[in-house]
């Protein structure tokens, strides 16, 4: 649905909610006039301000709904106000006024809670964007695109982490999956991302970056509150993180280190296949890293090719029929497109497959080979010293050479750059017209 159509539908629904109390009053009066009930149906008029409070939450709508209900109690058939129906109308009037007062106070409290909820969402969104900021369209020699879907409703982050940074060693990327999902895993995600963003620039070898991540994970577990930890074998026995580190050199050569994470897909026009088929290392936190950490070659990125990094929530998503999400087949339909088109297509297909009901967090990072940078035209203007240099300045410098104490023959053997050296500040100023 387009933005204009969505706006029209929202406006129509809001208009219906505004006129709903009036429609309720009209329906009650029409029923009473068609099938008289001696004023018993008029007791339903007290629901008008309550409907306004539940529908819009605005105090003005509550007052207007109550006013419509009170006007409906006024006899319009010409009968005198006295009679057997007067006590019943007085009771209905008191009931309507009571509901109006209660709805008015409830609407005020609702507005305060809505404002607090909006502020809390703004704070949470700002914190999540600071922890997992959106990726720029180009990082070094790579054009990245990423998405994250949280299993917790209303959250934009969960137990999956990723980041891509440009360093002097090349473009380095990380993607990981913390045990658990949702907001409960944010503390571990913050520890891992903070360590990676610092170690990726400091460490020369990719293996040292992984070792620093292991130490950061151990410090994070040691500093946790034992009362909030869980696990049948101890407070931290099952706290682990799967990590995939990837480094792309300026020439497009990629190498990786993998600790219990799915290997990335190599995405080319018509081809979607695992970039590596080797056995990964155990996840961080279960066993210590081995002494020797050898990186695994992931090939070389050619134009129109890329690497798709993902978490297990992408292919573990279940559909209505219980089937898993066909990640590779879905990516193959968008192979050869831009990175954001691939990620966007997978995002839409995944939500349609799972009907919006995800049981685990999902993270996708597409790293495509960026086109080479084309040098722009050299700007020219009065501020450019190159455009102000004039060639006649050199004959002036050569004309001053015989005045030097050195022989003229020595000055002829000099390079053209040394002949311009005797120019004084006055000569240089005179060679540049104002």
């Amino acid at each position: 649905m387009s933005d204009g159509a969505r706006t029209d539908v929202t406006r129509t629904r809001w208009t219906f909610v505004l006129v709903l109390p009036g429609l309720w009053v009209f329906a009650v009066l029409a029923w009473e006039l068609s099938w008289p009930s001696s004023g018993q149906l008029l007791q339903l008029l007290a629901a008008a301000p309550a409907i306004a409070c539940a529908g819009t939450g605005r105090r003005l709508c509550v007052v207007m709904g109550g006013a419509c209900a009170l006007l409906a109690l006024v006899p319009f058939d010409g009968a005198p106000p006295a009679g057997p129906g007067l006590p019943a109308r007085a009771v209905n009037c008191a009931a309507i006024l009571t509901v109006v007062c209660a709805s008015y106070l409830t609407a005020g409290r609702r507005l305060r809670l809505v404002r607090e909820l909006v502020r809390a969402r703004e704070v949470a969104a700002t914190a999540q964007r600071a922890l997992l900021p959106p990726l720029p369209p180009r990082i070094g020699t790579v054009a990245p695109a990423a998405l994250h879907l949280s299993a917790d409703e209303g959250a934009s982050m969960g137990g999956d982490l990723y980041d891509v940074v440009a360093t002097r060693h090349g473009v380095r990327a990380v993607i990981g999956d913390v045990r658990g999902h949702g907001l409960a895993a944010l503390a571990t995600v913050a520890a891992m991302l903070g360590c990676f963003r610092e170690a990726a620039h400091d460490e020369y070898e990719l293996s040292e970056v992984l070792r620093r991540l292991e130490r950061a994970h151990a410090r994070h577990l040691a500093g946790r509150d034992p009362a909030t930890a869980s696990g049948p074998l101890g407070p931290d026995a099952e706290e682990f993180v799967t990590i995939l580190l990837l480094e792309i050199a300026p020439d497009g050569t990629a190498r990786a280190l993998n600790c219990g994470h799915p290997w990335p897909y190599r995405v080319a026009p018509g081809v979607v296949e695992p970039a590596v088929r080797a056995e990964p290392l155990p996840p961080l936190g279960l066993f210590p890293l081995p002494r020797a950490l050898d990186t695994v070659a992931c090939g070389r990125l050619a134009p129109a090719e890329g690497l798709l990094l993902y978490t297990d929530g992408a292919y573990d998503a279940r559909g209505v029929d219980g089937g898993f999400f066909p990640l590779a087949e879905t990516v193959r339909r968008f192979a050869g497109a831009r990175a954001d088109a691939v990620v966007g297509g997978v995002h839409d297909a995944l939500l349609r497959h799972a009907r919006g009901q995800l049981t685990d967090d999902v993270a996708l990072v597409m790293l495509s080979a960026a086109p080479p940078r084309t040098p722009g035209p050299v700007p020219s203007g009065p501020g450019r010293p190159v455009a102000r240099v004039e060639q006649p300045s050199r004959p002036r410098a050569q004309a001053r050479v015989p005045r030097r104490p050195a022989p003229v023959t020595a000055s002829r053997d000099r390079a053209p750059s040394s002949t311009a050296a005797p120019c004084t500040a006055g000569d240089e100023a005179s060679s540049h017209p104002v």
Side-chain angles (χ1 to χ4, degrees):
M1 185 182 297
S2 61
D3 294 339
R6 187 180 294 107
T7 303
D8 295 339
V9 171
T10 303
R11 186 182 297 109
T12 302
R13 291 178 179 176
W14 187 252
T15 303
F16 176 75
V17 170
L18 287 176
V19 301
L20 187 58
L23 293 177
W24 177 264
V25 173
F26 177 79
V28 172
L29 289 180
W31 187 274
E32 178 66 22
L33 293 177
S34 301
W35 295 277
S37 61
S38 301
Q40 295 181 1
L41 287 178
L42 295 180
Q43 300 176 4
L44 298 177
L45 295 175
I51 294 175
C53 178
T56 64
R58 295 184 177 182
R59 293 180 175 180
L60 180 60
C61 295
V62 172
V63 174
M64 292 178 61
C68 292
L70 292 176
L71 289 176
L73 292 177
V74 177
F76 48 87
D77 53 357
L86 182 60
R89 291 180 182 270
V91 172
N92 292 336
C93 181
I96 292 174
L97 291 176
T98 303
V99 175
V100 168
C101 295
S103 301
Y104 190 85
L105 297 177
T106 303
R109 185 172 182 271
R110 175 183 178 180
L111 290 177
R112 289 193 298 270
L113 293 178
V114 168
R115 295 191 188 100
E116 293 178 2
L117 178 61
V118 171
R119 286 195 296 267
R121 286 184 174 180
E122 291 177 353
V123 172
T126 303
Q128 293 176 16
R129 284 194 300 268
L131 183 60
L132 198 64
L135 299 178
R138 182 177 182 128
I139 300 178
T141 58
V142 172
L147 72 86
H148 187 282
L149 297 175
S150 177
D152 288 352
E153 185 178 359
S156 60
M157 283 197 60
D160 293 349
L161 59 99
Y162 65 85
D163 201 1
V164 183
V165 295
T167 68
R168 65 179 184 274
H169 317 293
V171 177
R172 288 179 170 177
V174 63
I175 188 169
D177 188 359
V178 179
R179 187 189 74 94
H181 63 270
L183 299 176
L186 281 182
T188 308
V189 170
M192 293 293 98
L193 286 178
C195 178
F196 169 77
R197 287 164 182 167
E198 181 179 358
H201 294 275
D202 295 343
E203 301 298 337
Y204 180 78
E205 295 293 339
L206 197 63
S207 59
E208 295 302 321
V209 179
L210 183 59
R211 295 190 186 278
R212 288 185 58 172
L213 288 175
E214 182 188 33
R215 294 193 294 268
H217 183 252
R219 289 193 301 268
H220 169 69
L221 294 183
R224 284 181 35 152
D225 185 7
T228 60
S230 62
L233 302 179
D236 302 328
E238 293 186 352
E239 296 296 333
F240 60 87
V241 183
T242 64
I243 288 291
L244 173 66
L245 290 178
L246 184 69
E247 180 180 285
I248 302 177
D251 61 351
T253 304
R255 57 191 187 125
L257 283 173
N258 192 347
C259 290
H261 201 83
W263 288 106
Y265 281 128
R266 187 179 72 90
V267 181
V271 177
V272 176
E273 60 182 7
V276 180
R277 299 186 183 273
E279 188 70 20
L281 298 171
L284 293 182
L286 294 182
F287 302 98
L289 290 175
R291 291 181 177 272
L293 290 176
D294 298 329
T295 58
V296 180
C298 298
R300 183 174 181 179
L301 291 184
E305 291 186 358
L307 293 174
L308 178 66
L309 287 63
Y310 57 95
T311 57
D312 57 359
Y315 57 80
D316 284 345
R318 297 294 188 100
V320 180
D321 56 352
F324 294 102
F325 177 67
L327 179 61
E329 290 77 4
T330 305
V331 175
R332 188 173 290 111
R333 298 202 304 262
F334 304 96
R338 297 188 312 175
D340 55 352
V342 175
V343 171
V346 175
H347 170 268
D348 297 339
L350 178 61
L351 291 183
R352 287 194 302 267
H353 177 80
R355 299 294 180 89
Q357 302 294 328
L358 297 177
T359 58
D360 195 5
D361 302 324
V362 177
L364 295 176
V365 179
M366 182 67 185
L367 303 176
S368 300
R373 298 181 184 270
T374 56
V378 179
S380 60
R384 296 280 300 177
V386 177
R388 304 286 294 180
V389 175
E390 298 181 359
Q391 295 298 330
S393 60
R394 289 193 175 184
R396 293 184 183 183
Q398 294 176 359
R400 293 179 58 87
V401 172
R403 300 180 183 180
R404 295 175 56 86
V408 178
T409 55
S411 63
R412 293 178 180 176
D413 296 335
R414 295 181 180 178
S417 60
S418 61
T419 58
C423 293
T424 61
D427 295 331
E428 185 178 0
S430 62
S431 63
H432 296 276
V434 178

